[in-house]
Amino acid sequence: MGNSLATKTTLPPLQTVAHCDTAKFMGTWFVIGVKPTMLETTCSNAVERYTLLDRPATAGGGQDHDVDIDFTYNKNEPISSPLKSLPQKGWVQGDDRSDSGEWRVSPFWPIKMPYPIIELDGRDYQYVVVGYPSRQYCWIMSRRPAMERSTYDMLIERLATRHQYDLEGLREVPQVWTKEERERRGLSKEELPDKYLSSKQAESCST
């Protein structure tokens, strides 16, 4: 996710998912759709990689956060435009950091932004939607760089009806990958199987 700061809203609080297994959430997510921050208005091949840290429950020692987030993307068109990176830190909120849909994320000190997980494939963790209290931003992500159109449409419908989102400004993020680009970005075949590789541009959501 990009840098976003505005949080004030008259809308009701977002409802997070009842359960989110932190360990199961870890790994690679491809950004399929976004109500963008200023960094994401033209981005493509956006990828977020989550790593759970072994932070002690007691104060002192170890890491000062729960999750490392590696956010990388092309500034404009896929592959050929400049590659950008925004490392971030995540804190899992609540009494049980192993199971929570409420997080905080920081792109830089001292900012800690809300990171509510509002939709999640609770069985296989194949898709997720992260919201923002003001509804100015959201992130629709998938374990693969393509998402079934029916799934994408279902998620944006839920954004509007369940979470009171205005969908104006929502954009699909181009995801176009070649073998060379997969290697350059350090992705494995398990994270990005050969079936998703292409030598020409394709839609982010399959028809």
CSV table of all heavy atoms in Angstrom, one decimal, residues 31-36 40-41 129-130 135-140 149 152-153 155-157 159-160 165-173:
chain,number,residue,atom,x,y,z
A,31,VAL,N,-1.5,-6.7,-6.1
A,31,VAL,CA,-2.6,-5.7,-6.0
A,31,VAL,C,-3.4,-5.7,-7.3
A,31,VAL,O,-2.8,-5.4,-8.4
A,31,VAL,CB,-2.0,-4.3,-5.7
A,31,VAL,CG1,-3.1,-3.3,-5.5
A,31,VAL,CG2,-1.1,-4.4,-4.4
A,32,ILE,N,-4.6,-6.1,-7.2
A,32,ILE,CA,-5.5,-6.2,-8.4
A,32,ILE,C,-6.3,-4.9,-8.7
A,32,ILE,O,-6.5,-4.5,-9.8
A,32,ILE,CB,-6.4,-7.4,-8.3
A,32,ILE,CG1,-5.6,-8.7,-8.1
A,32,ILE,CG2,-7.3,-7.6,-9.5
A,32,ILE,CD1,-4.7,-9.0,-9.2
A,33,GLY,N,-6.8,-4.3,-7.6
A,33,GLY,CA,-7.6,-3.1,-7.7
A,33,GLY,C,-7.3,-2.2,-6.5
A,33,GLY,O,-6.9,-2.7,-5.5
A,34,VAL,N,-7.4,-0.9,-6.7
A,34,VAL,CA,-7.1,0.1,-5.7
A,34,VAL,C,-7.8,1.4,-5.9
A,34,VAL,O,-8.1,1.8,-7.0
A,34,VAL,CB,-5.5,0.3,-5.7
A,34,VAL,CG1,-5.1,1.0,-7.0
A,34,VAL,CG2,-5.1,1.1,-4.6
A,35,LYS,N,-8.3,1.9,-4.7
A,35,LYS,CA,-8.6,3.3,-4.7
A,35,LYS,C,-7.3,4.0,-4.2
A,35,LYS,O,-6.9,3.9,-3.1
A,35,LYS,CB,-9.7,3.6,-3.7
A,35,LYS,CG,-11.1,3.3,-4.2
A,35,LYS,CD,-12.2,4.0,-3.5
A,35,LYS,CE,-12.3,5.5,-3.9
A,35,LYS,NZ,-13.5,6.1,-3.3
A,36,PRO,N,-6.6,4.6,-5.1
A,36,PRO,CA,-5.2,4.8,-4.9
A,36,PRO,C,-4.8,6.0,-4.0
A,36,PRO,O,-5.5,7.0,-4.0
A,36,PRO,CB,-4.7,5.1,-6.4
A,36,PRO,CG,-5.8,5.7,-7.0
A,36,PRO,CD,-7.0,5.0,-6.5
A,40,GLU,N,0.0,5.6,-6.2
A,40,GLU,CA,-0.6,4.5,-6.9
A,40,GLU,C,-1.5,4.8,-8.0
A,40,GLU,O,-2.2,3.9,-8.6
A,40,GLU,CB,-1.3,3.6,-5.9
A,40,GLU,CG,-0.5,3.1,-4.8
A,40,GLU,CD,-1.2,2.5,-3.6
A,40,GLU,OE1,-2.1,3.2,-3.0
A,40,GLU,OE2,-1.0,1.3,-3.3
A,41,THR,N,-1.6,6.1,-8.4
A,41,THR,CA,-2.5,6.5,-9.4
A,41,THR,C,-2.2,5.9,-10.8
A,41,THR,O,-3.1,5.8,-11.7
A,41,THR,CB,-2.6,8.0,-9.5
A,41,THR,OG1,-1.3,8.6,-9.8
A,41,THR,CG2,-3.1,8.6,-8.2
A,129,VAL,N,-9.3,-7.8,1.0
A,129,VAL,CA,-9.6,-6.4,0.7
A,129,VAL,C,-9.2,-5.7,2.0
A,129,VAL,O,-9.7,-6.0,3.1
A,129,VAL,CB,-11.0,-6.1,0.4
A,129,VAL,CG1,-11.2,-4.6,0.2
A,129,VAL,CG2,-11.5,-6.9,-0.9
A,130,VAL,N,-8.4,-4.7,1.9
A,130,VAL,CA,-8.0,-3.8,3.0
A,130,VAL,C,-8.6,-2.5,2.8
A,130,VAL,O,-8.5,-1.9,1.7
A,130,VAL,CB,-6.4,-3.7,3.1
A,130,VAL,CG1,-6.1,-2.7,4.2
A,130,VAL,CG2,-5.8,-5.0,3.3
A,135,ARG,N,-12.7,5.8,3.7
A,135,ARG,CA,-13.1,5.2,2.5
A,135,ARG,C,-12.5,5.9,1.3
A,135,ARG,O,-12.8,5.7,0.1
A,135,ARG,CB,-14.7,5.3,2.3
A,135,ARG,CG,-15.5,4.2,2.9
A,135,ARG,CD,-15.4,4.2,4.4
A,135,ARG,NE,-16.5,3.4,5.0
A,135,ARG,CZ,-16.7,3.3,6.3
A,135,ARG,NH1,-16.0,4.0,7.1
A,135,ARG,NH2,-17.7,2.6,6.8
A,136,GLN,N,-11.4,6.7,1.5
A,136,GLN,CA,-10.7,7.3,0.4
A,136,GLN,C,-9.8,6.3,-0.3
A,136,GLN,O,-9.5,6.5,-1.5
A,136,GLN,CB,-9.9,8.5,0.9
A,136,GLN,CG,-9.2,9.3,-0.1
A,136,GLN,CD,-8.5,10.5,0.4
A,136,GLN,OE1,-8.7,10.8,1.6
A,136,GLN,NE2,-7.8,11.3,-0.4
A,137,TYR,N,-9.4,5.2,0.4
A,137,TYR,CA,-8.5,4.3,-0.2
A,137,TYR,C,-9.0,2.8,0.1
A,137,TYR,O,-9.7,2.6,1.0
A,137,TYR,CB,-7.1,4.4,0.4
A,137,TYR,CG,-6.6,5.8,0.5
A,137,TYR,CD1,-6.5,6.4,1.7
A,137,TYR,CD2,-6.2,6.5,-0.6
A,137,TYR,CE1,-6.0,7.7,1.8
A,137,TYR,CE2,-5.7,7.7,-0.6
A,137,TYR,CZ,-5.6,8.4,0.7
A,137,TYR,OH,-5.1,9.7,0.7
A,138,CYS,N,-8.6,1.9,-0.8
A,138,CYS,CA,-8.8,0.5,-0.5
A,138,CYS,C,-7.8,-0.3,-1.4
A,138,CYS,O,-7.3,0.2,-2.4
A,138,CYS,CB,-10.2,0.0,-0.7
A,138,CYS,SG,-10.8,0.0,-2.5
A,139,TRP,N,-7.6,-1.5,-1.0
A,139,TRP,CA,-6.7,-2.4,-1.8
A,139,TRP,C,-7.3,-3.8,-1.9
A,139,TRP,O,-7.6,-4.4,-0.9
A,139,TRP,CB,-5.3,-2.5,-1.1
A,139,TRP,CG,-4.6,-1.2,-1.0
A,139,TRP,CD1,-3.7,-0.7,-1.9
A,139,TRP,CD2,-4.8,-0.2,0.0
A,139,TRP,NE1,-3.2,0.5,-1.5
A,139,TRP,CE2,-3.9,0.9,-0.3
A,139,TRP,CE3,-5.6,-0.1,1.1
A,139,TRP,CZ2,-3.8,2.0,0.4
A,139,TRP,CZ3,-5.5,1.1,1.9
A,139,TRP,CH2,-4.6,2.1,1.5
A,140,ILE,N,-7.5,-4.2,-3.2
A,140,ILE,CA,-8.0,-5.5,-3.5
A,140,ILE,C,-6.8,-6.4,-3.9
A,140,ILE,O,-6.2,-6.0,-4.9
A,140,ILE,CB,-9.1,-5.5,-4.6
A,140,ILE,CG1,-10.3,-4.6,-4.1
A,140,ILE,CG2,-9.6,-6.9,-4.9
A,140,ILE,CD1,-11.3,-4.4,-5.2
A,149,ARG,N,-13.1,-12.5,-12.9
A,149,ARG,CA,-14.0,-11.3,-12.9
A,149,ARG,C,-15.1,-11.4,-11.9
A,149,ARG,O,-15.5,-10.4,-11.3
A,149,ARG,CB,-14.5,-11.2,-14.4
A,149,ARG,CG,-15.5,-10.0,-14.5
A,149,ARG,CD,-15.0,-8.7,-14.1
A,149,ARG,NE,-13.9,-8.2,-14.8
A,149,ARG,CZ,-13.3,-7.0,-14.7
A,149,ARG,NH1,-13.8,-6.2,-13.7
A,149,ARG,NH2,-12.3,-6.7,-15.4
A,152,TYR,N,-13.8,-10.5,-8.5
A,152,TYR,CA,-13.6,-9.0,-8.4
A,152,TYR,C,-14.9,-8.2,-8.3
A,152,TYR,O,-15.0,-7.3,-7.5
A,152,TYR,CB,-12.8,-8.6,-9.7
A,152,TYR,CG,-12.3,-7.1,-9.6
A,152,TYR,CD1,-11.2,-6.8,-8.9
A,152,TYR,CD2,-13.1,-6.2,-10.3
A,152,TYR,CE1,-10.8,-5.5,-8.9
A,152,TYR,CE2,-12.6,-4.8,-10.3
A,152,TYR,CZ,-11.5,-4.5,-9.6
A,152,TYR,OH,-11.1,-3.2,-9.6
A,153,ASP,N,-15.9,-8.6,-9.1
A,153,ASP,CA,-17.1,-7.9,-9.1
A,153,ASP,C,-17.8,-8.1,-7.8
A,153,ASP,O,-18.5,-7.2,-7.2
A,153,ASP,CB,-18.0,-8.4,-10.2
A,153,ASP,CG,-17.6,-7.9,-11.6
A,153,ASP,OD1,-16.7,-7.0,-11.7
A,153,ASP,OD2,-18.0,-8.5,-12.6
A,155,LEU,N,-16.4,-8.5,-4.9
A,155,LEU,CA,-15.7,-7.7,-3.9
A,155,LEU,C,-16.0,-6.2,-4.0
A,155,LEU,O,-16.2,-5.5,-3.0
A,155,LEU,CB,-14.2,-8.0,-4.0
A,155,LEU,CG,-13.7,-9.4,-3.6
A,155,LEU,CD1,-12.2,-9.5,-3.9
A,155,LEU,CD2,-14.0,-9.7,-2.1
A,156,ILE,N,-16.1,-5.7,-5.2
A,156,ILE,CA,-16.4,-4.3,-5.3
A,156,ILE,C,-17.9,-4.0,-4.9
A,156,ILE,O,-18.2,-3.0,-4.4
A,156,ILE,CB,-16.1,-3.7,-6.7
A,156,ILE,CG1,-16.9,-4.4,-7.8
A,156,ILE,CG2,-14.6,-3.8,-7.0
A,156,ILE,CD1,-16.6,-3.7,-9.2
A,157,GLU,N,-18.7,-5.0,-5.2
A,157,GLU,CA,-20.1,-4.9,-4.7
A,157,GLU,C,-20.2,-4.8,-3.2
A,157,GLU,O,-20.9,-4.1,-2.6
A,157,GLU,CB,-20.9,-6.1,-5.3
A,157,GLU,CG,-22.5,-5.9,-5.1
A,157,GLU,CD,-22.9,-6.4,-3.8
A,157,GLU,OE1,-22.2,-7.3,-3.1
A,157,GLU,OE2,-24.0,-5.9,-3.3
A,159,LEU,N,-17.8,-3.8,-1.3
A,159,LEU,CA,-17.2,-2.5,-0.9
A,159,LEU,C,-18.3,-1.4,-0.8
A,159,LEU,O,-18.4,-0.6,0.1
A,159,LEU,CB,-16.1,-2.0,-1.8
A,159,LEU,CG,-14.7,-2.6,-1.6
A,159,LEU,CD1,-13.8,-2.3,-2.8
A,159,LEU,CD2,-14.1,-2.1,-0.3
A,160,ALA,N,-19.2,-1.4,-1.8
A,160,ALA,CA,-20.2,-0.4,-1.9
A,160,ALA,C,-21.4,-0.7,-0.9
A,160,ALA,O,-21.8,0.2,-0.2
A,160,ALA,CB,-20.8,-0.4,-3.4
A,165,TYR,N,-18.6,2.3,0.5
A,165,TYR,CA,-17.6,2.9,-0.4
A,165,TYR,C,-18.2,3.5,-1.6
A,165,TYR,O,-19.1,3.0,-2.2
A,165,TYR,CB,-16.6,1.8,-0.8
A,165,TYR,CG,-15.3,1.8,0.0
A,165,TYR,CD1,-15.2,1.1,1.1
A,165,TYR,CD2,-14.2,2.5,-0.5
A,165,TYR,CE1,-14.1,1.0,1.9
A,165,TYR,CE2,-13.0,2.4,0.3
A,165,TYR,CZ,-12.9,1.7,1.4
A,165,TYR,OH,-11.8,1.7,2.2
A,166,ASP,N,-17.8,4.7,-2.0
A,166,ASP,CA,-18.0,5.3,-3.3
A,166,ASP,C,-16.9,4.7,-4.2
A,166,ASP,O,-15.7,4.9,-3.9
A,166,ASP,CB,-17.9,6.8,-3.2
A,166,ASP,CG,-18.1,7.5,-4.5
A,166,ASP,OD1,-18.2,6.8,-5.6
A,166,ASP,OD2,-18.2,8.7,-4.6
A,167,LEU,N,-17.3,4.1,-5.3
A,167,LEU,CA,-16.3,3.4,-6.1
A,167,LEU,C,-15.7,4.3,-7.2
A,167,LEU,O,-14.9,3.8,-7.9
A,167,LEU,CB,-17.0,2.2,-6.8
A,167,LEU,CG,-17.6,1.1,-5.9
A,167,LEU,CD1,-18.3,0.0,-6.7
A,167,LEU,CD2,-16.5,0.5,-4.9
A,168,GLU,N,-16.1,5.5,-7.2
A,168,GLU,CA,-15.4,6.4,-8.1
A,168,GLU,C,-13.9,6.5,-7.8
A,168,GLU,O,-13.5,6.7,-6.7
A,168,GLU,CB,-16.0,7.8,-8.0
A,168,GLU,CG,-15.4,8.8,-9.0
A,168,GLU,CD,-16.1,10.2,-9.0
A,168,GLU,OE1,-17.0,10.4,-8.2
A,168,GLU,OE2,-15.7,11.1,-9.7
A,169,GLY,N,-13.1,6.4,-8.8
A,169,GLY,CA,-11.7,6.4,-8.7
A,169,GLY,C,-11.0,5.1,-8.5
A,169,GLY,O,-9.8,4.9,-8.5
A,170,LEU,N,-11.9,4.0,-8.3
A,170,LEU,CA,-11.3,2.7,-8.2
A,170,LEU,C,-10.7,2.3,-9.5
A,170,LEU,O,-11.3,2.4,-10.6
A,170,LEU,CB,-12.4,1.7,-7.8
A,170,LEU,CG,-12.0,0.2,-7.6
A,170,LEU,CD1,-11.1,0.0,-6.4
A,170,LEU,CD2,-13.2,-0.7,-7.6
A,171,ARG,N,-9.5,1.8,-9.5
A,171,ARG,CA,-8.8,1.4,-10.7
A,171,ARG,C,-8.3,0.0,-10.6
A,171,ARG,O,-7.9,-0.5,-9.6
A,171,ARG,CB,-7.7,2.4,-11.1
A,171,ARG,CG,-6.5,2.4,-10.1
A,171,ARG,CD,-5.4,3.3,-10.5
A,171,ARG,NE,-4.7,2.9,-11.7
A,171,ARG,CZ,-3.5,2.3,-11.7
A,171,ARG,NH1,-2.9,2.0,-10.6
A,171,ARG,NH2,-2.9,1.9,-12.8
A,172,GLU,N,-8.3,-0.7,-11.8
A,172,GLU,CA,-7.6,-2.0,-11.8
A,172,GLU,C,-6.1,-1.8,-12.1
A,172,GLU,O,-5.8,-1.0,-12.9
A,172,GLU,CB,-8.3,-2.9,-12.9
A,172,GLU,CG,-9.7,-3.3,-12.6
A,172,GLU,CD,-10.3,-4.1,-13.7
A,172,GLU,OE1,-9.6,-4.8,-14.4
A,172,GLU,OE2,-11.6,-4.1,-13.8
A,173,VAL,N,-5.3,-2.5,-11.4
A,173,VAL,CA,-3.9,-2.4,-11.5
A,173,VAL,C,-3.4,-3.4,-12.6
A,173,VAL,O,-3.5,-4.6,-12.4
A,173,VAL,CB,-3.2,-2.6,-10.2
A,173,VAL,CG1,-1.7,-2.5,-10.3
A,173,VAL,CG2,-3.7,-1.6,-9.1
